[in-house]
Amino acid sequence: MQMTNNPRFLAVQALAKIKAGAYSNLQLNNVINDHQLKPADVNLLTTIVYGVIQHRLTLAFYLKPFIKNPQKVQPWVRELLYTALFQELYLDRIPKRAIFNETIEIAKQNGHEGIRKFVTGVLHQMDRSGLPEIDTIEDPVEKLEVKYSVPRWLIEKLQEQRGEAKTLAILKKINQAANQSIRVNPKQIAVADAITKLQEEGYDVRTSEVASDALVVSGRSANQSELFKNGQITIQDESAMLPAESMMLSETMQVLDACAAPGGKTTQIAAYLNAERGGKVTALDIHDHKVNLIMQNAKRLHVESAVDAIKLDARKVSDQFDDEQFDRILVDAPCSGLGLIRRKPEIRYEKTLTDSEHLQQIQLKILQAVAPKVKKAGILVYSTCTILNEENQAVVDQFLDNHPDFKSVKIQTKLNLKQDRESDYLEIFPDDYDSDGFFISGFQRLS
């Protein structure tokens, strides 16, 4: 069997590299770009890789009784067995015989005779004995940990902060495939016209209930659309559009996007501005290549005249900008990213509570640095793509405690999300609207 373009073999290779520290999306892109695969094989490869990552703790629970010496199992062999289990449990169109045959063949081609025998033995023993039952786990948190493949610390923290019912709703959602959403570029095309053209190209399209310029599309990748190539749309999650949408921008404003790469929110802000009338968004990042990426995205979307991208650490804005220089500032802060688990499933295993506590200090330092740069009566918007209080409400509380010259303002969105909430800040959870988890808060400088 030729393995070089076999999607199951490529999935095993990719999973081993991801387990060793590679980013899932980048690793998958590399594999797809390096091999000439049919669309069906790309789909199978992607499904297996993301599926194994999403269900890793569940698959480990099922496999454990059949591995006598786990420390002796090579990492790629473990990933191979996970791919077999995932296909059997979660993909209903592939016959068990085909899964077993291909798994054993991969073991034979990629290893030695001992590995082939070991893999064959494990598969057949699982088939004869059946898999252990998750419902036999007595500890309720451990049961959730195994069932939804989410680390115990995160489940306990969510239960503490959100309650058991909300935690369960979030857990049920995060292993479902994320929607593909796009933002229509209003500088180039109206939303209604974008819908018509996308449908003519064969996409299924529905309007978003989250963001006013958002559409949810399916059928094929949005970057294959002529509208994407022409800069009339860009790929962005619905929730990620809310920080810029909530900034109450007008076309002549001076705006600072303090943590800007890759530029999704920068270009969204720029679409509200009129460069000829002096409107400008200054976008910061600490890496040269990311500053270049921001400008590339701005040029593709035809808003580069309103964008100025600069290499600068947001904590050092005083080196370059005057106090009270900006009408609006956006701090879309570095965060744990736990609201993005559906798109980046490995995040759940990599992050710890200590990470959130460390990031909180970075977030506060950025807010501390940029706060003097807001004009009086201007607005500073703080957002994250996480769902933990440590990086959200706790940061808001500390910022306001330390800055009596700012007051909290209620976040408003064009589609009036959660208008009946008691808080000024807006929290979006993955189960709320089937979008990414996000947090947005606003502070107005007192005049």
Side-chain angles (χ1 to χ4, degrees), residues 8 55 60 91 93 126 133 135 146 155 160 191 198 202 215 237 279 295 305 318 325 341 347 390 404 408:
R8 293 177 176 85
H55 300 284
L91 302 184
R93 295 184 181 179
M126 286 193 296
E133 294 285 343
D135 286 341
V146 171
I155 294 173
E160 172 194 320
V191 172
L198 287 165
L215 299 172
D237 185 75
M295 288 312 303
S305 61
S318 289
Q325 183 170 339
I341 283 179
I347 284 177
E390 282 76 7
S408 175

Side-chain angles (χ1 to χ4, degrees), residues 35-311:
H35 297 83
Q36 292 183 328
L37 299 175
K38 300 173 185 175
D41 287 343
V42 171
N43 186 51
L44 180 60
L45 166 68
T46 304
T47 299
I48 292 174
V49 169
Y50 278 127
V52 168
I53 297 171
Q54 285 170 335
H55 300 284
R56 181 172 294 280
L57 299 183
T58 313
L59 298 172
F61 170 79
Y62 286 138
L63 186 61
K64 185 178 179 180
F66 306 100
I67 307 290
K68 293 179 181 177
N69 297 301
Q71 68 278 5
K72 293 184 178 180
V73 180
Q74 293 182 40
W76 75 267
V77 177
R78 187 179 298 276
E79 300 303 320
L80 175 62
L81 290 167
Y82 286 165
T83 64
L85 262 174
F86 170 75
Q87 291 173 83
E88 183 179 349
L89 293 170
Y90 298 99
L91 302 184
D92 54 8
R93 295 184 181 179
I94 304 177
K96 183 188 295 185
R97 185 181 71 254
I99 295 169
F100 280 26
N101 288 345
E102 288 235 21
T103 303
I104 293 166
E105 188 65 27
I106 290 169
K108 177 181 174 182
Q109 295 276 345
N110 205 44
H112 50 68
E113 180 62 13
I115 289 176
R116 184 196 67 77
K117 287 182 178 179
F118 169 74
V119 168
T120 303
V122 169
L123 291 176
H124 288 298
Q125 189 182 353
M126 286 193 296
D127 196 36
R128 285 193 304 270
S129 306
L131 299 175
E133 294 285 343
I134 293 175
D135 286 341
T136 61
I137 300 173
E138 293 184 1
D139 182 334
V141 177
E142 183 185 352
K143 188 181 293 186
L144 292 175
E145 181 180 20
V146 171
K147 184 173 183 178
Y148 296 105
S149 196
V150 173
R152 184 184 189 96
W153 78 266
L154 182 52
I155 294 173
E156 290 178 334
K157 183 56 68 172
L158 286 171
Q159 287 179 334
E160 172 194 320
Q161 296 179 356
R162 308 298 168 194
E164 291 192 10
K166 185 64 174 178
T167 297
L168 185 59
I170 293 170
L171 294 176
K172 286 180 177 178
K173 179 60 66 174
I174 59 176
N175 286 331
Q176 297 176 15
N179 289 326
Q180 179 178 222
S181 58
I182 59 159
R183 175 170 56 81
V184 177
N185 180 1
K187 291 279 193 189
Q188 299 295 316
I189 191 171
V191 172
D193 293 334
I195 292 172
T196 300
K197 289 184 179 295
L198 287 165
Q199 289 173 335
E200 288 173 354
E201 289 186 14
Y203 289 92
D204 293 321
V205 186
R206 64 173 172 84
T207 56
S208 169
E209 58 178 324
V210 179
S212 61
D213 290 332
L215 299 172
V216 179
V217 300
S218 57
R220 58 195 173 107
S221 178
N223 64 8
Q224 297 176 5
S225 167
E226 287 302 311
L227 276 69
F228 181 89
K229 295 170 186 174
N230 296 335
Q232 294 168 303
I233 64 170
T234 192
I235 298 170
Q236 190 174 2
D237 185 75
E238 299 161 87
S239 297
M241 302 178 205
L242 296 176
E245 189 181 286
S246 72
M247 292 177 77
M248 296 180 282
L249 296 164
S250 61
E251 60 181 14
T252 59
M253 283 183 171
Q254 297 296 307
V255 184
L256 178 67
D257 187 354
C259 311
K265 296 175 186 67
T266 302
T267 56
Q268 184 182 0
I269 291 167
Y272 290 108
L273 305 178
N274 185 330
E276 294 179 359
R277 297 192 60 201
K280 176 76 75 173
V281 53
T282 302
L284 309 182
D285 193 84
I286 59 175
H287 300 292
D288 283 322
H289 71 280
K290 290 189 176 180
V291 172
N292 292 334
L293 183 59
I294 293 167
M295 288 312 303
Q296 287 172 20
N297 283 326
K299 288 173 183 175
R300 185 179 65 80
L301 292 162
H302 313 289
V303 294
E304 71 271 21
S305 61
V307 176
D308 187 13
I310 298 172
K311 180 185 176 183

Side-chain angles (χ1 to χ4, degrees), residues 413-428:
T413 64
K414 293 185 178 181
L415 299 182
N416 298 315
L417 299 184
K418 298 190 176 184
Q419 280 294 89
D420 60 347
R421 70 185 190 274
E422 295 180 2
S423 62
D424 286 340
Y425 54 76
L426 175 63
E427 295 175 291
I428 305 293

